[in-house]
Amino acid sequence: MTTAEVDATPGDCESLQQEEYEVLESIYPECISSEMKNKSLRLEIPVEFGTPRTVHVEEDQSDIQTNSAAAPPIALSLSSLPPVTLNVVLPALYPIKNPPTLTSIRAAHFWLPQIPRLHQALTDLWEPGEGVLYNWIEFLRSGEFLDTLSLLDDNNDIRIIHPSPPILTKVLKESDASSSFLRFTHNSYPCSICLSTVRGSKCVQLSCTHIFCRPCLEDFWKLCIEEGDVGRVGCPDLACVKDGREADAEEVARVVTQDCMERWRSLKIKRNLERGTGELVMHVVFRYMVSRSVSHPLPHGILPDAGVEADGSGGGDRMGVLAIMSGMLVLLLCAVPADMVGGGRHT
C-alpha cells in the first residue's frame, strides 16, 4: 500500500470522483443516464460495433428434454446490441482504496446471460488508486466483454442463448434499427447537391445508402413532380442516375408533401398504363396486319424489305414488319377493328 493510499481522506476521494464524473460526462454524455447523487450513478452503455457482426440466437436447451430436437439458430447481421445498465455506488475512499460497488447489472430485454460473470469481470478491472468507470464503459461499449463471457465462436461470431429465439430476434432487430437511427441523426454528412455538411437529423438516407440534406432533395423531387418527370424522382447521385434508379413510394412519402405524393402516384400510374397500352397496341397492329395479308393480299412493293410474301406465307422477319408498322401507327389505328383488341379475327 502506497503512502498516498494510507493518507487518503474522503475529501481527496470526493474530488477525484467529481473529476472522473465530469470527464465521463464530456466524453460519453449518452451513457450517463442520471446525475451523481449521494455517491450513486447510473450508466446506460450501448454495445456498438464498428462494422456489422453476425449474431446467432440459439434456443436454451437446459430445461428441455435431451431427446427433443433443437430449433436451428437464427442468424442476424447487427451493428449494435441493446444497452447494458450499471447502477453504481462510489464508496467514500474510491478510487484510492476501494472499488466502486455494482448494485445491479441489467441487460435491456434480458438478452445477456451470465450476469454474475460480467459482475466479476468488471470488478477485476479496478486497480487501487485508479478510476475505473471509463474502462467499464469502453469494455462494454466495444463488445470486448463478449469474449470474456465466452459468447464468441471460432469464427468470432456472437452466440446468444435464449429461451425464445424468435422473440429475442425481433427485439434485437428493433434495437439495432433504433441505435442506427440515433447514430445517423447525431453525425454530419456532406450533401452532393448543395455541397454543404449537414447534421443527420436534417438529412435523408435513401435505400441505395446515398445521403442528401432534406431541403435539397425535397426541392429537386418537387420540381420533377411539378414538371411531370417522374422518371427523375430518384437518387441524384451520378451512379444511380446512370442506372435509372427511381425512388419507391416509401422514400417519396418521407421527403415530399402529401399533395406532391398524390401527384407523383398519379403520374406514375399514368406512365405505367401508357407503357402497357403502347405494347398492347403494337401487338394488336401486328396481328391485324398479318391477318389482312392472308385475306386481303397487299399490293407488291408496300413492304419491300419485310420479307413477307403477298399471300402471307413465307418465314419473313416479323420483327421487321413490326418496326415498319410502328411508323404507320397513326393511320392504322383508325383501321383496326375493336374486336381485334379482344383477340377476335376480322373477316
Side-chain angles (χ1 to χ4, degrees), residues 94-232:
Y94 167 82
I96 296 179
K97 295 182 65 175
N98 300 121
T101 302
L102 282 165
T103 58
S104 70
I105 301 176
R106 184 181 182 276
H109 311 296
F110 305 100
W111 68 269
L112 179 62
Q114 306 179 32
I115 293 294
R117 283 187 62 184
L118 178 59
H119 187 288
Q120 187 60 50
L122 292 171
T123 302
D124 291 344
L125 289 177
W126 176 76
E127 294 182 1
E130 300 291 336
V132 75
L133 299 183
Y134 175 89
N135 294 336
W136 281 2
I137 291 177
E138 275 299 303
F139 183 63
L140 294 171
R141 193 179 68 88
S142 65
E144 183 182 347
F145 71 99
L146 296 170
D147 189 24
T148 303
L149 300 185
S150 304
L151 296 179
L152 301 180
D153 62 16
D154 295 338
N155 297 320
N156 209 36
D157 293 343
I158 301 168
R159 294 175 62 253
I160 299 176
I161 310 298
H162 195 268
S164 180
I167 293 177
L168 182 61
T169 296
K170 181 180 178 181
V171 167
L172 293 179
K173 287 181 178 179
E174 292 175 350
S175 174
D176 186 51
S178 177
S179 296
S180 297
F181 177 75
L182 288 176
R183 287 196 301 271
F184 178 81
T185 57
H186 290 155
N187 292 334
S188 296
Y189 305 91
C191 174
S192 58
I193 298 177
C194 64
L195 304 180
S196 300
T197 300
V198 186
R199 196 169 181 83
S201 57
K202 298 181 179 180
C203 291
V204 176
Q205 183 175 33
L206 302 177
S207 57
C208 57
T209 71
H210 292 127
I211 300 172
F212 305 92
C213 71
R214 186 177 295 275
C216 285
L217 192 61
E218 182 178 2
D219 289 345
F220 174 60
W221 284 3
K222 181 181 178 181
L223 179 62
C224 294
I225 294 171
E226 288 176 349
E227 294 179 348
D229 193 358
V230 292
R232 295 176 61 201

Side-chain angles (χ1 to χ4, degrees), residues 25-337:
E25 196 173 34
S26 64
I27 300 177
Y28 302 114
E30 71 280 5
C31 296
I32 300 178
S33 59
S34 72
E35 295 182 359
M36 188 165 62
K37 295 180 179 179
N38 300 322
K39 306 290 185 178
S40 296
L41 181 65
R42 179 184 297 114
L43 303 176
E44 189 171 352
I45 306 165
V47 183
E48 300 175 337
F49 313 121
T51 56
R53 299 275 299 270
T54 300
V55 179
H56 300 278
V57 184
E58 303 178 13
E59 186 176 9
D60 186 0
Q61 294 287 303
S62 59
D63 295 330
I64 301 178
Q65 296 180 358
T66 54
N67 58 355
S68 300
I74 301 175
L76 304 170
S77 178
L78 303 176
S79 298
S80 64
L81 290 170
V84 177
T85 301
L86 307 180
N87 285 296
V88 185
V89 174
L90 304 181
L93 294 181
Y94 167 82
I96 296 179
K97 295 182 65 175
N98 300 121
T101 302
L102 282 165
T103 58
S104 70
I105 301 176
R106 184 181 182 276
H109 311 296
F110 305 100
W111 68 269
L112 179 62
Q114 306 179 32
I115 293 294
R117 283 187 62 184
L118 178 59
H119 187 288
Q120 187 60 50
L122 292 171
T123 302
D124 291 344
L125 289 177
W126 176 76
E127 294 182 1
E130 300 291 336
V132 75
L133 299 183
Y134 175 89
N135 294 336
W136 281 2
I137 291 177
E138 275 299 303
F139 183 63
L140 294 171
R141 193 179 68 88
S142 65
E144 183 182 347
F145 71 99
L146 296 170
D147 189 24
T148 303
L149 300 185
S150 304
L151 296 179
L152 301 180
D153 62 16
D154 295 338
N155 297 320
N156 209 36
D157 293 343
I158 301 168
R159 294 175 62 253
I160 299 176
I161 310 298
H162 195 268
S164 180
I167 293 177
L168 182 61
T169 296
K170 181 180 178 181
V171 167
L172 293 179
K173 287 181 178 179
E174 292 175 350
S175 174
D176 186 51
S178 177
S179 296
S180 297
F181 177 75
L182 288 176
R183 287 196 301 271
F184 178 81
T185 57
H186 290 155
N187 292 334
S188 296
Y189 305 91
C191 174
S192 58
I193 298 177
C194 64
L195 304 180
S196 300
T197 300
V198 186
R199 196 169 181 83
S201 57
K202 298 181 179 180
C203 291
V204 176
Q205 183 175 33
L206 302 177
S207 57
C208 57
T209 71
H210 292 127
I211 300 172
F212 305 92
C213 71
R214 186 177 295 275
C216 285
L217 192 61
E218 182 178 2
D219 289 345
F220 174 60
W221 284 3
K222 181 181 178 181
L223 179 62
C224 294
I225 294 171
E226 288 176 349
E227 294 179 348
D229 193 358
V230 292
R232 295 176 61 201
V233 180
C235 178
D237 185 85
L238 293 178
C240 289
V241 171
K242 183 178 179 180
D243 293 339
R245 182 195 176 279
E246 296 185 17
D248 57 32
E250 182 179 350
E251 290 174 328
V252 177
R254 287 169 53 202
V255 175
V256 302
T257 63
Q258 183 63 31
D259 290 342
C260 280
M261 176 67 186
E262 293 301 325
R263 176 169 169 76
W264 172 84
R265 195 189 305 275
S266 298
L267 290 170
K268 190 96 169 177
I269 293 173
K270 180 182 178 183
R271 185 193 65 177
N272 293 341
L273 286 175
E274 288 174 349
R275 285 179 176 177
T277 302
E279 294 174 359
L280 175 61
V281 168
M282 294 302 295
H283 175 68
V284 171
V285 168
F286 176 78
R287 288 182 56 199
Y288 175 65
M289 292 307 298
V290 171
S291 69
R292 280 189 60 85
S293 70
V294 175
S295 58
H296 304 286
L298 297 174
H300 179 71
I302 294 296
L303 303 175
D305 299 318
V308 179
E309 300 296 335
D311 61 356
S313 62
D317 183 0
R318 294 192 175 190
M319 294 305 295
V321 176
L322 187 58
I324 295 173
M325 291 306 101
S326 64
M328 303 169 62
L329 180 59
V330 175
L331 296 175
L332 290 175
L333 282 177
C334 299
V336 176

